[in-house]
Amino acid sequence: MNEKKFPLAKDRLEELSKKYPTPFYLYDEKAIRENARRIIKAFSPFPAFKEHFAVKACPNPFIIKILAEEGFGADCSSLPELLLADMAGIKGEDIMLTSNETPAKEYIKARELGAIINLDDFTHIAFLEKTFSSLPELVSFRYNPGPLKEGNAIIGKPEEAKYGFTREQLIEGYKLLKAKGVKRFGLHTMVASNELSLDYHLETGRLLFELAVEIKNKCGVSIEFVNLGGGLGIPYRPEQEALSWEVLAAELKKLYDSIIVPSGLGGMGIHTEYGRPITGPYGWLVARALHSKHIYREYIGLDACMADLMRPALYGAYHHITISGKENASGTETYDIVGSLCENNDKFAVQRKLPKIETAAEAAGGGNTDGGDFVIIHDAGAHGRAMGFNYNGKLRCGELLLRCDGSVIQIRRPETIDDYFATLNPEDLDKF
Ligand SMILES: *Cc1c(COP(=O)(O)O)cnc(C)c1O
């Protein structure tokens, strides 16, 4: 069990929504910081540890800056993500570029920032050499274990995944880098997404540790760090259990002590690229119930839609929903909670038992979104606002931060119609 709580009471939300109309995302700074500290403490028995926060999960520089203050780095996969990490104050090798089908300009920016470059493919060794006059001092490779590792629902089977080097290519690759004068080496993999099984993550650790030893033996190369990637799940459903950072780190340390230490690689560092468990449980999408509709099913229409949070529509993902002020009321109704997009999969919840919801249309007699219950969509802090889009002329909502002192600030304003038209030039249209 994990309790689905929202940090603000209904009267506070009423007050807040006068200044910042719904929908909006709200993140809890205190909870993010406490979780980050737990992670760093849990992994402290390793000779070196660095969590490179996967920027794509929550690409807001305020959030990244909070994480940087707690000692996290950043994992980036695009030029704008590199710029976000830099903007948030993350420097040098605390930034890792794990991208694929990488354009030269990303490598150039990464190198300018002194970031760790993690290559996705063997051919990128030559591509790097063409891009720069010399190879960087430190290079990391992404490993794709293929049939050696089972995949999971979101990311698929490794042998069908487009990422990474085969085992043979890795061995060849490290030999080649060594011959070309590269001095420092990293090893990375990312094989799962939203995986809650401890054993799965330990197996990934074992796989990389054994591979680091094999690379040492076959290539005469000492791996400086292994990066276990991201993919650690969170308990979206109340009946699920979170993975314990303490147990994960302690079990990984046992594997490390039995595989890495005897091989003479004992100073090797552990890096991770977690995104979802870093911000996911500490962010909520807050919307208002706008309309109710009674046809073959009972519908509640929100002022948010899948352009604000795509996971339910994209993966059929479960997001827990509570109604502000009715947390303890019983689920007497069965609703489909939907958005306004002209796509029938724009549903935050299907046939969900919830307390009776009052809509703005009922409260105000229609027309506006004052009044009506606040619908809180939980665990939206990662891969939430980040996946937003503008299809159907939808404008993405803003982001608020609940500070440690209880105050609330806006850390991204909502999009405006002007933003939507910013890429069009009406003067060209007049001449057309
Ligand atoms: C998406 C991604 C992550 C983060 O994944 P989470 O599931 O959010 O932890 C880390 N590394 C890479 C390469 C990714 O693509």
Side-chain angles (χ1 to χ4, degrees):
M1 281 296 287
N2 72 96
E3 209 186 332
K4 297 293 178 197
K5 283 198 279 194
F6 179 71
L8 301 179
K10 186 172 181 187
D11 53 350
R12 186 83 197 280
L13 265 185
E14 287 288 3
E15 182 197 316
L16 200 60
S17 69
K18 290 195 185 108
K19 189 165 181 197
Y20 305 113
T22 55
F24 53 74
Y25 274 83
L26 181 91
Y27 304 96
D28 183 343
E29 177 178 357
K30 186 159 171 270
I32 290 173
R33 286 190 187 274
E34 282 171 1
N35 182 55
R37 287 174 197 171
R38 251 185 88 182
I39 295 170
I40 288 186
K41 184 154 181 257
F43 281 89
S44 62
F46 289 101
F49 171 71
K50 183 59 76 175
E51 151 68 4
H52 298 271
F53 173 63
V55 169
K56 77 168 191 267
C58 192
N60 186 303
F62 289 80
I63 301 289
I64 303 167
K65 191 172 175 187
I66 290 170
L67 295 172
E69 284 170 8
E70 295 300 334
F72 285 6
D75 165 46
C76 305
S77 314
S78 66
L79 191 55
E81 287 186 357
L82 286 169
L83 298 176
L84 277 171
D86 185 47
M87 187 194 276
I90 300 181
K91 301 292 170 206
E93 291 179 7
D94 284 352
I95 304 175
M96 173 115 166
L97 176 71
T98 296
S99 81
N100 65 92
E101 315 315 327
T102 313
K105 62 180 182 208
E106 273 176 33
Y107 284 134
I108 291 166
K109 188 71 201 176
R111 197 138 181 212
E112 202 182 295
L113 296 174
I116 300 173
I117 291 179
N118 188 31
L119 297 185
D120 186 71
D121 191 62
F122 192 86
T123 60
H124 285 227
I125 300 171
F127 186 67
L128 260 195
E129 284 184 301
K130 269 194 196 155
T131 307
F132 304 107
S133 51
S134 65
L135 285 171
E137 175 191 283
L138 167 65
V139 178
S140 175
F141 289 155
R142 179 172 184 163
Y143 172 47
N144 181 332
L148 276 184
K149 183 86 189 157
E150 269 184 38
N152 82 345
I154 294 185
I155 213 166
K157 293 181 187 171
E159 70 262 42
E160 292 171 6
K162 66 177 178 173
Y163 310 107
F165 289 55
T166 67
R167 207 170 180 96
E168 295 70 32
Q169 287 174 337
L170 269 190
I171 301 294
E172 280 313 299
Y174 286 113
K175 284 182 184 163
L176 190 62
L177 287 190
K178 191 181 169 201
K180 288 179 183 291
V182 172
K183 295 275 179 294
R184 298 164 56 209
F185 307 88
L187 170 64
H188 166 274
T189 199
M190 163 86 192
V191 283
S193 189
N194 194 28
E195 182 57 63
L196 271 172
S197 149
L198 174 66
D199 284 346
Y200 190 96
H201 295 290
L202 296 180
E203 271 312 304
T204 305
R206 174 191 294 279
L207 195 78
L208 284 187
F209 294 164
E210 287 175 350
L211 185 54
V213 175
E214 184 181 331
I215 290 163
K216 179 168 192 269
N217 295 338
K218 290 191 175 154
C219 316
V221 154
S222 289
I223 297 291
E224 184 175 311
F225 64 83
V226 294
N227 186 324
L228 303 169
L232 205 90
I234 60 171
Y236 284 101
R237 293 175 184 270
E239 66 272 18
Q240 290 176 313
E241 236 17 280
L243 262 177
S244 147
W245 294 116
E246 291 77 19
V247 172
L248 174 68
E251 291 299 317
L252 280 170
K253 184 68 172 37
K254 283 186 201 158
L255 289 171
Y256 184 96
D257 289 343
S258 69
I259 301 167
I260 293 299
V261 173
S263 76
L265 282 171
M268 190 184 84
I270 301 293
H271 292 199
T272 54
E273 276 172 2
Y274 301 131
R276 192 182 314 268
I278 307 301
T279 53
Y282 316 115
W284 297 262
L285 173 58
V286 179
R288 286 259 202 191
L290 186 53
H291 291 286
S292 63
K293 175 166 173 136
H294 324 282
I295 50 171
Y296 308 103
R297 285 181 175 182
E298 291 297 309
Y299 291 94
I300 295 291
L302 305 187
D303 57 5
C305 72
M306 69 179 276
D308 299 303
L309 175 67
M310 183 155 64
R311 298 189 69 259
L314 187 63
Y315 313 118
Y318 181 93
H319 277 266
H320 197 67
I321 290 177
T322 54
I323 310 304
S324 184
K326 299 182 179 173
E327 289 80 3
N328 300 316
S330 52
T332 52
E333 317 297 311
T334 303
Y335 292 122
D336 279 14
I337 306 289
V338 303
S340 58
L341 214 77
C342 301
E343 284 284 343
N344 193 41
N345 59 351
D346 182 11
K347 297 182 176 177
F348 292 109
V350 174
Q351 296 293 282
R352 185 78 57 90
K353 290 257 185 269
L354 286 166
K356 185 148 182 56
I357 295 174
E358 189 187 28
T359 65
E362 288 157 2
N368 63 61
T369 55
D370 290 341
D373 276 327
F374 291 105
V375 175
I376 314 290
I377 304 176
H378 292 251
D379 298 306
H383 310 295
R385 171 68 175 66
M387 276 191 191
F389 55 93
N390 288 125
Y391 182 53
N392 234 175
K394 297 300 174 187
L395 304 175
R396 279 168 289 198
C397 67
E399 297 179 296
L400 307 180
L401 180 69
L402 174 61
R403 304 294 321 263
C404 295
D405 65 3
S407 62
V408 173
I409 58 166
Q410 182 169 260
I411 56 173
R412 187 195 299 272
R413 66 162 172 80
E415 285 180 345
T416 63
I417 303 239
D418 285 344
D419 294 328
Y420 186 84
F421 285 102
T423 51
L424 299 171
N425 189 350
E427 281 167 33
D428 290 347
L429 184 64
D430 291 340
K431 283 184 252 144
F432 176 70

